[in-house]
Structures are given as C-alpha cells and as structure tokens.
Amino acid sequence: MLGRKFYFSFLIFFFCFSVFAQSTRSGEGVVSVRNEQEGFAQVTEHVLSESVPSLLQGIWQGTDRLVMFSNQNEFALVLRVFYQWYNDRAAEPASFSEIKSRDRNNTTKSPAEDIQIQYTTIVENPSLTAGVYELSIKYPHEKFPVLVPICIIDGKIYMDFLIKDSAEVTDLRLSNSLPSNPAEKSNSTGFYRAASNASGITISQPIFKKEVLSYFVGDDGEIYRIRYWLSEMQYSYAKASFSDDDKIFSVDKYLRIGSNVYQCTTGRSTKIRNIQKSTKFEKNAVYDSDGGIVAFGEPYLVKVPEGNDRTALETSAWFLGTVEENNKRKHHAPKPLFPVTFPKYRWKEITELELYNPSTWNKRNLDIHK
C-alpha cells in the first residue's frame, strides 16, 4: 500500500515538473524573439496592385518565349518551341480565342493556362528608366500565388540583379518617408543586396535559389562577397557586420526576396564569417542610369517597340497576329544525313566513241546530206 502511494506521488511530481519546464522554455523563447525585434523599425509590407507598372507594360521577346503584360490585367505567354520555328500560345486569357483561334496539334494544350498576375513595386530609380518589381503569379492549379522578382533596365528584363542600400532605406524611399539624395547617384560604394531568386517567368512554378550572393563595395574599390541562405527566421531590418583589419562594415542580416527569407549568419549571431574579397564582380554587370540597380548576365527579355502605344485590344490583336505570322514560316528541308555521291569517271562523248565505228559511217553520211 505504501509503495503504491509513493508511485502515484512520483507520477504527479514528474508531470508537474515537466509542465513547468516546458512553460519556462517557452517563456524564454518568447522573450528572446521579442528582444531581437526591439530597436528595429516595423517592416514595411509590400502592396499588390492590379495595374501593370508603366515600365513593364507591353510585349517582351526572348530566345524561347514571348510575354505580354496588358494594362487591362491581361497576361499572355507564348513558347517558341522547335528552335523558335513554332509559337505555342501556352498561357492567355479566354478572350484571346475570340480574336484568333488557337492551333490544335500535338504541341499545344487545350485549354491554355489562364494565369492571373498582380504587381508590387520594390524600387524605381529617380530617372524612371529602371525598376525592380515582384510578380504575384496565381497558377490555375496552385493554392497560393508565387512571387517572382524581376528587374527592368533600359527596356530589358533581367532575372539576376542587386539593389543598392539596405531594405529599410529602400522601403522608406518608396513610401516617400525618406527622400532620395541626388549626390548618392555617382557613389558606387556601399551595400548591394541580392533581390532575385527565380529562374524565369514561366507557365508553371519556377525554380527558386537556395542561396544568393550580396556584395559590399569599399572606398578603395574592394568588393566583399556575402553569402545568404534560406532561413525560417522571422524577417526584420536587423543588421549584421564583418570586418577587414580595422574596417567594420554593416549590412542587412536578413533578405526578403519574394516569398523566401535568407540570412547571412548562423542562428541569432550578428557576426558574418568567411567573407571573400575580390576586385570585381564574377559576372558582367549592367548598371542603371542612377547606379542604384545592378543586373548580371544577358537580358532575359527585350521589349518589342511595336507593342507599346496601343490599347489593350489592339495590343492583343497585334500580339496574336505576330504569333500567326511566325507560324507561317517554312523551314528549308534539312540536308541528307548521307549525301548522294557519284563516281568520279570521265565519260567520253558519243561522237568520240563512234568516230572509228564503220557501222555508223553510212548513217552519218545520210544525216549530213539531209
């Protein structure tokens, strides 16, 4: 009997101790998160819009696709398959079939993908010649929209790019809380944060990067490469730092790119390690006119001038007409895999063969006297 009471008392004590320990650990976690967020400004939420940004409106052409962004919230994507010799109207609104019917063959899918897009402006330069935007793409068979960042510089779309300054400064300037300083346009030093992670504008979910690279350009032209990786931490304007001899540089600890958050330090540390230093970027860089946006590599899409100054219906008709004209082209017949070869033999003329044939002399004489 005494042993049974002792056993039940031990169970009650162990249960209470476990609940107390869990509540203590839970309380410590809440305090640590709260302390980490203290001292930082409230994160600005991105605002979605149905209207297409002015720099993005129109028709864009790439090596493997045509893309149209209409100001009537119409999005169309044509895949240029078979080495660009056939244009497949893969994604378009249902109203496009009323203008021109789609082809039906082994390449096309019926019906076309009806993709809905909303737009967010991340940053635009003061000259309004370049900007960074996020496309909130809602695919027909997906539950949630997908955020795809893009960059436009001088009528060209890039999928690999950086934005100068921290996210807090960029968000404040976009909301007009912090006016831009014209003197900073010519200054190339500072923090260039990664702002892209998608593989392209596609008819299905694109591939997103697990790691991105940001850079810090020093006063003497040295370039520090900073690696960021996917994180499950809550996004904030927190800072992290690294040093080079007696120089200390501060950058964003977290990056918010589309739907993902990246961080450059382990856990809650603010010390960046393993910084790589060089004198130039690894890829060919393209700057906008104000020096606030940097793009890498070749353009993903180039704007088509003919599709700019038109209404939505005229743009759609011109767009579909271009697709129809492209599909009328005929490719020349391919060269044979095994070309026909003839023997290299000199055939004598018939007159030379019959010159010394007596049986034909009479026939030749008759032909001459005809």
Side-chain angles (χ1 to χ4, degrees):
M1 188 70 179
L2 182 60
R4 184 179 299 178
K5 291 182 179 180
F6 176 80
Y7 177 76
F8 283 112
S9 301
F10 176 79
L11 288 180
I12 295 173
F13 173 79
F14 180 78
F15 175 78
C16 295
F17 178 80
S18 300
V19 173
F20 176 78
Q22 291 178 2
S23 62
T24 304
R25 287 195 296 268
S26 176
E28 289 176 354
V30 172
V31 172
S32 62
V33 172
R34 186 183 298 114
N35 290 336
E36 184 176 354
Q37 302 300 330
E38 289 180 357
F40 302 113
Q42 184 177 1
V43 175
T44 302
E45 296 297 331
H46 293 165
V47 180
L48 294 174
S49 174
E50 298 287 343
S51 59
V52 184
S54 58
L55 291 179
L56 188 59
Q57 289 183 13
I59 299 172
W60 302 79
Q61 179 174 340
T63 57
D64 61 347
R65 66 197 61 223
L66 286 168
V67 182
M68 189 194 77
F69 298 96
S70 171
N71 53 7
Q72 297 296 324
N73 197 23
E74 289 179 337
F75 170 79
L77 192 150
V78 173
L79 297 178
R80 307 175 70 187
V81 296
F82 303 127
Y83 304 97
Q84 305 179 9
W85 280 96
Y86 182 76
N87 292 351
D88 175 25
R89 291 161 52 180
E92 63 182 26
S95 59
F96 278 32
S97 298
E98 301 175 0
I99 304 174
K100 290 184 182 295
S101 59
R102 296 176 68 241
D103 296 336
R104 293 295 297 121
N105 49 47
N106 292 338
T107 303
T108 61
K109 175 183 177 298
S110 181
E113 300 288 342
D114 189 3
I115 299 176
Q116 304 296 324
I117 298 185
Q118 293 180 310
Y119 308 89
T120 300
T121 300
I122 304 300
V123 63
E124 287 181 337
N125 64 355
S127 302
L128 297 181
T129 59
V132 174
Y133 309 94
E134 279 185 356
L135 309 181
S136 178
I137 305 177
K138 179 63 174 66
Y139 294 104
H141 304 292
E142 299 294 336
K143 186 175 182 180
F144 301 103
V146 177
L147 298 181
V148 176
I150 64 170
C151 165
I152 301 177
I153 298 179
D154 297 331
K156 299 176 182 179
I157 292 180
Y158 296 87
M159 301 304 298
D160 188 5
F161 52 90
L162 311 171
I163 300 177
K164 188 181 179 183
D165 290 328
S166 64
E168 183 178 6
V169 173
T170 302
D171 293 343
L172 290 176
R173 285 177 179 171
L174 185 63
S175 61
N176 296 325
S177 300
L178 181 64
S180 60
N181 186 4
E184 295 181 357
K185 296 179 182 179
S186 59
N187 186 7
S188 60
T189 62
F191 176 50
Y192 291 82
R193 75 180 191 276
S196 61
N197 64 348
S199 60
I201 304 173
T202 57
I203 61 174
S204 60
Q205 283 202 32
I207 300 173
F208 294 98
K209 298 178 182 178
K210 296 181 180 180
E211 294 183 358
V212 295
L213 293 176
S214 298
Y215 300 86
F216 193 98
V217 180
D219 296 332
D220 298 331
E222 65 275 17
I223 299 178
Y224 303 92
R225 189 175 71 172
I226 309 168
R227 185 175 68 93
Y228 288 78
W229 57 89
L230 277 176
S231 172
E232 296 181 356
M233 298 290 291
Q234 183 179 2
Y235 176 73
S236 69
Y237 292 142
K239 301 295 181 182
S241 62
F242 65 94
S243 60
D244 183 10
D245 293 334
D246 57 344
K247 300 178 183 178
I248 299 178
F249 305 98
S250 178
V251 298
D252 289 356
K253 178 180 177 179
Y254 302 108
L255 298 180
R256 177 177 57 179
I257 306 176
S259 304
N260 297 328
V261 175
Y262 300 82
Q263 71 179 69
C264 61
T265 62
T266 57
R268 305 187 186 278
S269 173
T270 59
K271 182 68 174 180
I272 305 176
R273 303 183 183 277
N274 301 325
I275 295 293
Q276 296 184 1
K277 183 178 178 181
S278 62
T279 57
K280 61 180 181 179
F281 292 114
E282 293 83 359
K283 305 176 184 178
N284 295 331
V286 178
Y287 293 81
D288 72 308
S289 57
D290 298 313
I293 303 174
V294 183
F296 295 119
E298 296 296 325
Y300 179 69
L301 298 172
V302 178
K303 200 164 192 178
V304 179
E306 292 82 357
N308 291 348
D309 302 326
R310 298 171 180 267
T311 61
L313 183 60
E314 290 174 347
T315 303
S316 305
W318 184 91
F319 181 74
L320 298 177
T322 302
V323 173
E324 186 177 16
E325 289 297 324
N326 290 343
N327 288 342
K328 289 181 180 179
R329 297 179 301 163
K330 299 297 182 181
H331 197 280
H332 58 272
K335 295 182 179 180
L337 295 178
F338 305 100
V340 179
T341 58
F342 296 95
K344 295 181 180 180
Y345 180 80
R346 179 179 175 270
W347 294 94
K348 294 183 178 181
E349 295 181 1
I350 188 64
T351 56
E352 185 179 356
L353 293 174
E354 299 295 331
L355 182 61
Y356 303 101
N357 187 3
S359 63
T360 62
W361 287 354
N362 293 333
K363 185 176 185 304
R364 288 201 302 273
N365 292 333
L366 291 176
D367 293 339
I368 293 174
H369 296 288
K370 276 185 178 180

